[in-house]
Amino acid sequence: MRIHVIGAGLAGLAAAWRLAEDGYAVTLYEAAPQAGGRCRSFLDLQLDRVIDNGGHVVLGANRAALAYLRATGGIKAMTEVAPAAFPFHDLSTGASWTVRPNAGPLPWWIFSPGRRVPGSRARDYLGALALWRAGPDAALADCLPPSLLRQRLWEPFSTAVMNTGPNHAAARSLGRALLQVFGLGERGCRAWLAASGLSTAFVDPALRRLAQRGADFRPGWRLARFHTADGTVTALEFDEERIALTTGERVVLAVPHQVAGELLPGLTLPSGDSPIVNAHYRLEGPVTLPGGQPLLGIIGGTAQWLIARGDIVSVTVSAAGDLVDRPASDLLDLLWSDVGRVLGIATPRPASRLIKERRATFSQTPENMRRRQATVSPWTNLFMAGDWTDTGLPASIEGAVRSGLAAARAATR
Ligand SMILES: Cc1cc2nc3c(=O)[nH]c(=O)nc-3n(C[C@H](O)[C@H](O)[C@H](O)COP(=O)(O)OP(=O)(O)OC[C@H]3O[C@@H](n4cnc5c(N)ncnc54)[C@H](O)[C@@H]3O)c2cc1C
């Protein structure tokens, strides 16, 4: 039985990989010249370095993503921050600290002043329970009133995980995600970063496995239209060619939600996107961030997170609706002033590259969380995957991988 997987982002790659490993004939179509979708790296000629479309972090609690990396071999191209540590630097006060969750599920680190956020008390952390009890319509700001702990811990995590500002981010989904991470203790909080580019870890090893299993990968194939009859998909119309499906053939649609909406008008889908702005700077030598880890959270500036890789320091600004329309050179200057202050460098802006991901994720509001699509569709042989499907997780690598695995399971049931 041939299964057609449309879209070679992480959801499509995970689906195709699982199906090929299980012995199914797979064709994987991708509109772009390369796989990876919103999680990819490329050689930037201006910087003369491989850079990511945006800083991506996987956490130890992201079991499906890590299992996918282990099974495809991509894990060898990842760096694990162990033991878990989240260093922060506050540009408004100059203070630096590191949050260090302890091993095991009992969070005694909140009782240890050296491990928790300075100025916070152990009982402040119990306030986060409000997120886990949140109603379906609540945003983070409805559950957690402004406080030092919210500003120094929950908001940086929320903005990164939900890519949506605190007044709009769905509290219940955030609470569930934080519980999954912090509930596993130190191991669940370990950050995993691509050591030499996202594609080397998340994309290329999976494509190699697919080739070994005889799967057919077709970059540059854009699905333009579905043909349907009697509740099934009968043909796939690509820009170049129409492929008629024979009885028993199945389709996994793993495109972004906007494209799914164009291909299948009438589906209820999340509406509205939230952008992420990324800046990459090439310094004169290897970069060491304060705190000694490859990742640093920034408070009180425009930059939110820094990632260091070799001589490249990358800045991520999530939920960047207010910034995304500003000219690239203004943004590079603005973010460089934050980086320079953090690193103690007063030189003019070095070689740099700005990447605006305008459609980084859907805006993860309570309403949009309810508009996510199930794996099964109204067409019997069509299954849906993507970070926007109803995974119960924020739009993320973990969500995308799980959605692909769920679609593969459903398609072969
Ligand atoms: C800058 C940035 C930073 C992020 N940081 C993190 C992070 O730190 N941690 C985390 O977990 N997640 C992060 N994410 C989110 C994560 O990247 C996404 O959730 C995930 O990659 C989505 O995968 P996907 O397969 O669902 O969708 P996509 O990656 O969008 O894949 C869909 C694919 O379908 C293809 N396609 C579209 N239309 C067609 C068509 N008509 N025919 C054929 N193919 C088509 C597209 O080209 C694309 O390759 C970040 C995202 C961005 C943009």
Side-chain angles (χ1 to χ4, degrees):
M1 177 168 73
R2 179 159 296 275
I3 304 188
H4 303 264
V5 180
I6 298 156
L10 293 186
L13 282 169
W17 161 75
R18 183 68 269 156
L19 291 163
E21 292 289 328
D22 290 346
Y24 293 93
V26 175
T27 306
L28 173 62
Y29 308 89
E30 166 56 50
Q34 76 290 318
R38 282 170 280 156
C39 178
R40 69 188 187 288
S41 49
F42 58 93
L43 175 64
D44 183 277
L45 294 176
Q46 194 175 322
L47 297 179
D48 191 25
R49 293 288 182 277
V50 171
I51 58 170
D52 299 334
N53 68 314
H56 278 68
V57 180
V58 169
L59 294 172
N62 297 156
R63 287 179 167 145
L66 290 172
Y68 161 86
L69 286 168
R70 286 196 178 95
T72 56
I75 200 88
K76 285 185 245 148
M78 297 290 288
T79 302
E80 180 185 23
V81 176
F86 296 108
F88 285 91
H89 181 80
D90 188 337
L91 284 169
S92 57
T93 62
S96 294
W97 65 91
T98 300
V99 172
R100 294 179 199 279
N102 57 275
L106 284 182
W108 57 257
W109 62 274
I110 65 173
F111 297 101
S112 167
R115 287 175 172 266
R116 67 186 183 215
V117 173
S120 66
R121 298 159 304 179
R123 65 172 181 270
D124 298 338
Y125 293 77
L126 299 179
L129 291 173
L131 294 174
W132 300 313
R133 291 194 299 258
D137 295 321
L140 176 144
D142 301 326
C143 301
L144 295 181
S147 68
L148 177 132
L149 188 59
R150 175 176 139 180
Q151 185 217 4
R152 289 188 159 187
L153 189 64
W154 301 129
E155 267 191 36
F157 275 114
S158 168
T159 307
V161 169
M162 303 296 285
N163 187 28
T164 303
N167 293 333
H168 301 287
R172 187 183 269 188
S173 307
L174 173 66
R176 225 180 282 157
L178 290 179
L179 182 62
Q180 279 173 7
V181 173
F182 285 95
L184 284 179
E186 181 274 321
R187 190 170 275 277
C189 295
R190 290 182 190 173
W192 290 77
L193 299 156
S196 51
L198 290 167
S199 297
T200 323
F202 288 94
V203 182
D204 302 340
L207 289 177
R208 278 197 293 275
R209 298 289 292 204
L210 285 172
Q212 284 161 9
R213 296 278 177 270
D216 178 13
F217 172 47
R218 301 189 186 181
W221 279 59
R222 190 187 76 91
L223 182 70
R225 198 151 95 84
F226 281 113
H227 292 268
T228 59
D230 301 329
T232 59
V233 176
T234 52
L236 304 173
E237 190 168 321
F238 291 89
D239 288 339
E240 305 294 331
E241 197 178 313
R242 176 182 158 133
I243 295 182
L245 302 189
T246 56
T247 311
E249 289 193 336
R250 311 273 160 88
V251 181
V252 172
L253 184 64
V255 297
H257 69 96
Q258 307 89 349
V259 180
E262 286 158 21
L263 290 167
L264 300 165
L267 283 185
T268 302
L269 298 171
S271 66
D273 302 309
S274 186
I276 299 181
V277 165
N278 298 275
H280 304 270
Y281 302 95
R282 200 183 97 187
L283 305 193
E284 287 190 349
V287 186
T288 305
L289 298 175
Q293 305 289 352
L295 184 70
L296 178 70
I298 307 289
I299 313 287
T302 308
Q304 293 169 355
W305 291 90
L306 305 190
I307 293 179
R309 188 163 79 208
D311 57 2
I312 297 284
V313 61
S314 303
V315 181
T316 299
V317 186
S318 300
D322 292 346
L323 294 184
V324 74
D325 291 326
R326 293 175 61 173
S329 64
D330 286 8
L331 291 172
L332 285 169
D333 286 342
L334 181 69
L335 295 171
W336 175 246
S337 73
D338 283 359
V339 176
R341 283 169 67 200
V342 170
L343 297 180
I345 305 174
T347 55
R349 163 158 68 88
S352 43
R353 160 75 65 196
L354 192 89
I355 300 177
K356 296 176 180 178
E357 286 278 7
R358 289 181 182 272
R359 295 178 149 191
T361 64
F362 68 94
S363 177
Q364 298 183 68
T365 61
E367 193 192 345
N368 270 341
M369 290 306 192
R370 286 195 291 274
R371 296 172 66 90
R372 299 173 87 174
Q373 167 70 40
T375 306
V376 292
S377 80
W379 297 272
T380 51
N381 59 346
L382 177 63
F383 303 89
M384 315 297 261
D387 63 353
W388 52 274
T389 57
D390 193 8
T391 59
L393 295 166
S396 58
I397 291 175
E398 177 73 3
V401 169
R402 284 201 199 189
S403 76
L405 300 179
R409 261 196 314 277
T412 52
R413 198 168 286 151

Coordinates of all heavy atoms in Angstrom, one line a residue, residues 6-12 29-32 34-39 53-58 62 160 221-224 238 254-256 259 263 276 278 316 357 359-361 385-388 395-398 400 403, ligand 1:
I6 N 2.5 14.6 2.1 CA 2.6 15.9 1.5 C 3.1 16.9 2.5 O 2.5 17.2 3.5 CB 1.3 16.3 0.9 CG1 0.9 15.3 -0.2 CG2 1.4 17.7 0.2 CD1 -0.5 15.2 -0.5
G7 N 4.4 17.4 2.2 CA 5.0 18.4 3.1 C 6.1 17.6 3.9 O 5.9 16.7 4.6
A8 N 7.4 18.1 3.7 CA 8.5 17.5 4.3 C 9.1 18.4 5.4 O 10.3 18.5 5.6 CB 9.6 17.1 3.3
G9 N 8.2 19.0 6.3 CA 8.6 19.6 7.5 C 8.8 18.4 8.5 O 8.7 17.2 8.1
L10 N 8.9 18.7 9.8 CA 9.2 17.6 10.7 C 8.0 16.7 10.9 O 8.1 15.5 11.1 CB 9.5 18.2 12.1 CG 10.9 18.9 12.1 CD1 11.3 19.3 13.5 CD2 12.0 18.0 11.5
A11 N 6.7 17.2 10.7 CA 5.6 16.3 10.8 C 5.6 15.3 9.6 O 5.4 14.1 9.8 CB 4.3 17.2 10.8
G12 N 5.8 15.8 8.4 CA 5.8 14.9 7.3 C 7.0 14.0 7.3 O 6.9 12.8 7.0
Y29 N 6.3 14.3 -0.8 CA 6.4 15.5 -1.7 C 6.6 16.8 -0.9 O 6.1 16.9 0.2 CB 5.0 15.7 -2.4 CG 4.5 14.4 -3.1 CD1 3.7 13.5 -2.4 CD2 4.8 14.2 -4.4 CE1 3.2 12.4 -3.0 CE2 4.2 13.0 -5.0 CZ 3.5 12.2 -4.3 OH 3.0 11.0 -4.9
E30 N 7.4 17.6 -1.4 CA 7.7 18.9 -0.7 C 7.8 20.0 -1.8 O 8.4 19.9 -2.8 CB 9.1 18.8 0.0 CG 9.7 20.1 0.5 CD 8.8 20.9 1.4 OE1 8.3 20.3 2.4 OE2 8.6 22.1 1.1
A31 N 7.0 21.1 -1.5 CA 6.9 22.2 -2.4 C 8.3 22.9 -2.6 O 8.7 23.4 -3.7 CB 5.9 23.2 -2.0
A32 N 9.0 23.1 -1.5 CA 10.3 23.8 -1.5 C 11.4 22.9 -2.1 O 11.2 21.7 -2.2 CB 10.7 24.2 -0.1
Q34 N 14.0 22.1 -0.7 CA 14.6 21.3 0.4 C 13.6 20.9 1.4 O 12.5 21.6 1.6 CB 15.8 22.0 1.0 CG 15.4 23.2 2.0 CD 14.8 24.4 1.3 OE1 15.3 24.8 0.3 NE2 13.8 24.9 1.9
A35 N 13.9 19.9 2.2 CA 13.0 19.5 3.3 C 13.3 20.3 4.6 O 14.3 21.1 4.6 CB 13.2 18.0 3.6
G36 N 12.5 20.2 5.6 CA 12.8 20.9 6.9 C 11.7 21.9 7.3 O 11.5 22.1 8.5
G37 N 11.1 22.5 6.3 CA 10.0 23.5 6.6 C 10.5 24.6 7.5 O 11.5 25.3 7.2
R38 N 9.9 24.7 8.6 CA 10.2 25.8 9.5 C 11.4 25.5 10.5 O 11.7 26.3 11.4 CB 9.0 26.2 10.4 CG 8.0 27.1 9.6 CD 6.7 27.2 10.3 NE 5.8 26.0 10.2 CZ 4.9 25.7 11.0 NH1 4.7 26.3 12.1 NH2 4.1 24.6 10.8
C39 N 12.0 24.3 10.3 CA 13.1 23.9 11.1 C 14.2 23.4 10.2 O 14.3 22.2 9.9 CB 12.6 22.8 12.1 SG 13.8 22.1 13.1
N53 N 17.3 28.7 10.4 CA 16.2 29.7 10.1 C 15.8 30.5 11.4 O 15.4 31.6 11.4 CB 15.0 29.1 9.5 CG 14.2 28.2 10.4 OD1 14.8 27.4 11.1 ND2 12.9 28.3 10.4
G54 N 16.0 29.8 12.6 CA 15.8 30.4 13.9 C 16.2 29.5 14.9 O 16.3 28.3 14.7
G55 N 16.6 30.0 16.1 CA 17.1 29.2 17.2 C 16.0 28.2 17.6 O 14.9 28.6 17.9
H56 N 16.3 26.9 17.6 CA 15.4 25.9 18.1 C 16.0 25.2 19.2 O 17.1 24.7 19.2 CB 15.1 24.9 16.9 CG 14.1 25.3 15.9 ND1 14.4 26.4 15.1 CD2 12.9 24.9 15.6 CE1 13.3 26.5 14.3 NE2 12.4 25.6 14.6
V57 N 15.1 24.9 20.3 CA 15.6 24.2 21.4 C 14.6 23.0 21.6 O 13.3 23.3 21.6 CB 15.5 25.1 22.7 CG1 16.0 24.3 23.9 CG2 16.5 26.3 22.5
V58 N 15.1 21.9 21.9 CA 14.3 20.7 22.3 C 14.6 20.5 23.7 O 15.8 20.6 24.1 CB 14.6 19.5 21.4 CG1 14.0 18.2 21.9 CG2 14.1 19.7 20.0
N62 N 10.8 16.3 25.7 CA 10.2 16.1 24.4 C 10.6 14.7 23.9 O 11.5 14.6 23.0 CB 10.8 17.2 23.4 CG 10.4 18.6 23.8 OD1 11.0 19.6 23.5 ND2 9.3 18.7 24.6
A160 N 8.6 31.9 24.7 CA 9.3 31.0 23.8 C 8.5 29.8 23.4 O 8.5 29.4 22.3 CB 10.6 30.6 24.5
W221 N 7.9 19.6 -5.5 CA 6.5 19.2 -5.9 C 5.5 19.8 -5.0 O 5.4 19.5 -3.8 CB 6.4 17.6 -5.7 CG 7.0 16.9 -6.9 CD1 8.2 17.0 -7.4 CD2 6.3 16.0 -7.8 NE1 8.4 16.2 -8.5 CE2 7.2 15.6 -8.8 CE3 5.0 15.6 -7.9 CZ2 6.9 14.7 -9.8 CZ3 4.6 14.7 -8.9 CH2 5.6 14.3 -9.8
R222 N 4.7 20.8 -5.5 CA 3.7 21.5 -4.7 C 2.3 21.0 -5.0 O 1.9 20.9 -6.2 CB 3.8 23.0 -5.1 CG 2.9 23.9 -4.1 CD 2.9 25.3 -4.6 NE 2.0 25.4 -5.8 CZ 0.7 25.8 -5.7 NH1 0.2 26.0 -4.5 NH2 0.0 25.8 -6.8
L223 N 1.7 20.5 -4.0 CA 0.3 20.1 -4.2 C -0.6 21.3 -4.5 O -0.6 22.2 -3.7 CB -0.2 19.3 -3.0 CG -1.6 18.8 -3.2 CD1 -1.7 17.6 -4.2 CD2 -2.2 18.3 -1.8
A224 N -1.3 21.3 -5.6 CA -2.2 22.4 -5.9 C -3.6 22.1 -5.6 O -4.4 23.1 -5.3 CB -2.0 22.7 -7.4
F238 N -0.6 18.0 -8.6 CA 0.6 18.8 -8.4 C 0.7 19.8 -9.5 O 0.0 19.7 -10.6 CB 1.8 17.9 -8.3 CG 1.8 17.1 -7.0 CD1 1.2 15.8 -7.0 CD2 2.3 17.6 -5.8 CE1 1.2 15.0 -5.9 CE2 2.3 16.8 -4.7 CZ 1.7 15.5 -4.7
A254 N 0.7 17.1 5.5 CA 1.6 17.7 6.6 C 2.1 19.0 6.2 O 3.3 19.3 6.3 CB 2.7 16.7 6.9
V255 N 1.2 19.9 5.7 CA 1.5 21.2 5.3 C 1.1 22.2 6.4 O 0.4 21.8 7.3 CB 0.8 21.6 3.9 CG1 1.2 20.7 2.8 CG2 -0.7 21.5 4.1
P256 N 1.6 23.4 6.3 CA 1.2 24.4 7.4 C -0.3 24.6 7.3 O -1.0 24.4 6.3 CB 1.9 25.7 7.0 CG 3.0 25.3 6.1 CD 2.6 24.0 5.4
V259 N -1.9 26.5 4.3 CA -2.0 25.8 3.1 C -3.1 24.7 3.2 O -3.9 24.5 2.2 CB -0.6 25.1 2.8 CG1 -0.7 24.3 1.5 CG2 0.5 26.1 2.7
L263 N -6.2 24.3 0.5 CA -6.5 23.0 -0.2 C -7.8 22.4 0.2 O -8.4 21.8 -0.7 CB -5.4 22.0 0.1 CG -4.0 22.3 -0.4 CD1 -2.9 21.4 0.2 CD2 -4.0 22.1 -1.9
I276 N 8.3 35.2 14.4 CA 9.6 35.2 15.2 C 10.6 35.9 14.4 O 10.8 35.6 13.2 CB 10.0 33.7 15.5 CG1 8.9 33.0 16.3 CG2 11.3 33.7 16.3 CD1 9.2 31.6 16.7
N278 N 14.7 36.6 14.1 CA 16.0 36.0 14.5 C 17.1 36.8 13.9 O 17.1 37.2 12.7 CB 16.2 34.6 13.9 CG 15.1 33.6 14.5 OD1 15.3 33.1 15.5 ND2 14.0 33.5 13.8
T316 N 16.9 35.3 19.4 CA 15.5 35.0 19.1 C 14.6 36.0 19.8 O 14.7 36.2 21.0 CB 15.2 33.5 19.5 OG1 16.0 32.6 18.8 CG2 13.7 33.2 19.2
E357 N 10.6 35.2 10.4 CA 9.7 34.1 10.1 C 8.3 34.6 10.4 O 7.8 34.6 11.6 CB 10.0 32.9 10.9 CG 11.2 32.1 10.5 CD 10.9 31.2 9.3 OE1 9.8 31.2 8.7 OE2 11.9 30.4 8.9
R359 N 5.4 33.6 9.6 CA 4.3 32.6 9.9 C 5.0 31.5 10.8 O 4.9 30.3 10.5 CB 3.8 32.0 8.7 CG 3.0 33.0 7.8 CD 2.5 32.5 6.6 NE 1.3 33.1 6.1 CZ 0.5 32.6 5.2 NH1 0.8 31.5 4.5 NH2 -0.6 33.3 4.9
A360 N 5.7 31.9 11.8 CA 6.5 31.0 12.6 C 5.6 29.9 13.2 O 5.8 28.7 13.1 CB 7.3 31.7 13.7
T361 N 4.5 30.3 13.9 CA 3.5 29.4 14.4 C 2.1 30.1 14.3 O 2.1 31.3 14.2 CB 3.7 29.0 15.9 OG1 3.5 30.1 16.7 CG2 5.0 28.3 16.1
A385 N -1.5 16.1 9.6 CA -0.3 16.2 10.5 C 0.1 17.6 10.5 O -0.1 18.4 9.5 CB 0.8 15.2 10.1
G386 N 0.9 18.0 11.5 CA 1.4 19.4 11.5 C 1.3 19.9 13.0 O 0.5 19.4 13.7
D387 N 2.1 20.9 13.3 CA 2.1 21.4 14.6 C 0.8 22.1 15.0 O 0.5 22.4 16.2 CB 3.3 22.4 14.9 CG 3.3 23.6 14.0 OD1 2.4 23.7 13.1 OD2 4.1 24.5 14.2
W388 N 0.0 22.4 14.0 CA -1.3 23.0 14.2 C -2.5 22.0 14.4 O -3.6 22.4 14.6 CB -1.6 23.9 13.0 CG -1.5 23.2 11.7 CD1 -0.4 23.0 11.0 CD2 -2.6 22.4 11.1 NE1 -0.7 22.2 9.9 CE2 -2.0 21.8 9.9 CE3 -3.9 22.3 11.3 CZ2 -2.7 21.1 9.0 CZ3 -4.7 21.5 10.4 CH2 -4.1 20.9 9.3
A395 N 2.5 24.5 19.5 CA 3.1 24.3 18.2 C 4.6 24.3 18.3 O 5.3 25.2 18.7 CB 2.7 25.4 17.3
S396 N 5.2 23.1 18.1 CA 6.6 22.9 18.4 C 7.1 21.7 17.7 O 6.3 20.9 17.0 CB 6.7 22.6 19.9 OG 6.0 21.4 20.2
I397 N 8.4 21.4 17.8 CA 9.0 20.2 17.2 C 8.4 19.0 17.7 O 8.0 18.1 17.0 CB 10.5 20.2 17.5 CG1 11.2 21.4 16.7 CG2 11.1 18.9 17.1 CD1 12.7 21.5 17.0
E398 N 8.2 18.9 19.1 CA 7.6 17.8 19.7 C 6.2 17.5 19.1 O 5.8 16.4 18.8 CB 7.6 18.0 21.2 CG 6.9 16.8 22.0 CD 7.7 15.6 22.1 OE1 8.8 15.5 21.6 OE2 7.2 14.6 22.6
A400 N 5.0 18.6 16.3 CA 5.0 18.2 14.8 C 5.4 16.7 14.7 O 4.7 16.0 14.0 CB 6.0 19.1 14.1
S403 N 2.5 14.6 15.8 CA 1.4 14.6 14.9 C 1.7 13.7 13.7 O 0.8 13.1 13.1 CB 1.1 16.1 14.4 OG 2.1 16.5 13.4
Ligands
LIG1 C1 12.1 30.8 14.1 C2 11.4 29.6 14.7 C3 11.8 29.2 15.9 C4 11.2 28.0 16.5 N1 11.7 27.6 17.7 C5 11.3 26.4 18.2 C6 11.9 25.8 19.4 O1 12.8 26.4 19.9 N2 11.4 24.6 19.8 C7 10.4 24.0 19.2 O2 10.0 22.9 19.6 N3 9.8 24.5 18.1 C8 10.2 25.7 17.6 N4 9.6 26.2 16.5 C9 8.4 25.6 15.9 C10 8.8 24.4 15.0 O3 9.8 24.8 14.1 C11 7.6 24.0 14.2 O4 6.5 23.7 15.1 C12 7.8 22.8 13.4 O5 9.0 22.8 12.6 C13 6.6 22.6 12.4 O6 6.7 21.5 11.6 P1 5.6 21.1 10.6 O7 6.0 19.9 9.9 O8 4.3 21.0 11.3 O9 5.4 22.3 9.6 P2 6.4 22.9 8.5 O10 7.8 22.9 9.0 O11 5.8 24.2 8.1 O12 6.3 21.9 7.3 C14 5.4 22.0 6.3 C15 6.0 21.7 4.9 O13 5.0 21.6 3.9 C16 5.6 22.2 2.8 N5 4.5 22.6 1.9 C17 3.7 23.7 2.0 N6 2.7 23.8 1.1 C18 2.9 22.6 0.3 C19 2.2 22.1 -0.8 N7 1.2 22.7 -1.3 N8 2.7 20.9 -1.4 C20 3.8 20.3 -0.8 N9 4.4 20.8 0.3 C21 4.0 21.9 0.8 C22 6.4 23.4 3.3 O14 7.3 23.9 2.4 C23 7.0 22.7 4.6 O15 8.3 22.2 4.2 C24 10.2 27.4 15.9 C25 9.7 27.8 14.6 C26 10.3 28.9 14.1 C27 9.8 29.4 12.7

